[in-house]
Amino acid sequence: MLEALAASAPEQFVDESKISALDHCLEKLAPQARRTVDLFYQDEHKPKAIAQMMRWTPLAVSVALSRARKFLRECIEHQLGRSGA
């Protein structure tokens, strides 16, 4: 999954400290959020397909992905700030 996320980011935004922070933060995601992120980024499913798999609405999937992205962004910023990067 890290490779998929890193591949989708512009090169200047990806370095080892950010990948390490992302890995750490992915581990902290709630199980349902992690599954949703995995299905979207790693398995490349569309929100509609994820909704069918998880028995959610497509809107619920979009909201879950948005919340997971926000959590990951804040967690990564915290991790990088803590490490002085």
Side-chain angles (χ1 to χ4, degrees):
M1 174 192 298
L2 291 173
E3 290 172 7
L5 289 170
S8 70
E11 222 174 274
Q12 71 266 24
F13 295 117
V14 180
D15 62 40
E16 288 300 315
S17 63
K18 290 178 183 174
I19 291 173
S20 177
L22 175 59
D23 187 37
H24 171 80
C25 294
L26 283 168
E27 303 245 342
K28 293 178 120 186
L29 274 175
Q32 291 283 31
R34 177 63 190 257
R35 181 169 181 232
T36 305
V37 167
D38 285 346
L39 288 169
F40 186 77
Y41 287 102
Q42 185 175 359
D43 299 338
E44 299 181 355
H45 290 292
K46 302 288 184 202
K48 185 175 180 179
I50 296 170
Q52 290 174 341
M53 286 182 238
M54 297 183 77
R55 296 188 175 145
W56 292 356
T57 65
L59 179 60
V61 171
S62 294
V63 169
L65 286 169
S66 178
R67 289 179 180 164
R69 287 184 200 108
K70 181 179 184 218
F71 171 83
L72 291 170
R73 181 175 46 253
E74 291 173 355
C75 179
I76 290 167
E77 288 172 359
H78 179 76
Q79 288 297 309
L80 293 176
R82 183 186 306 174
S83 67

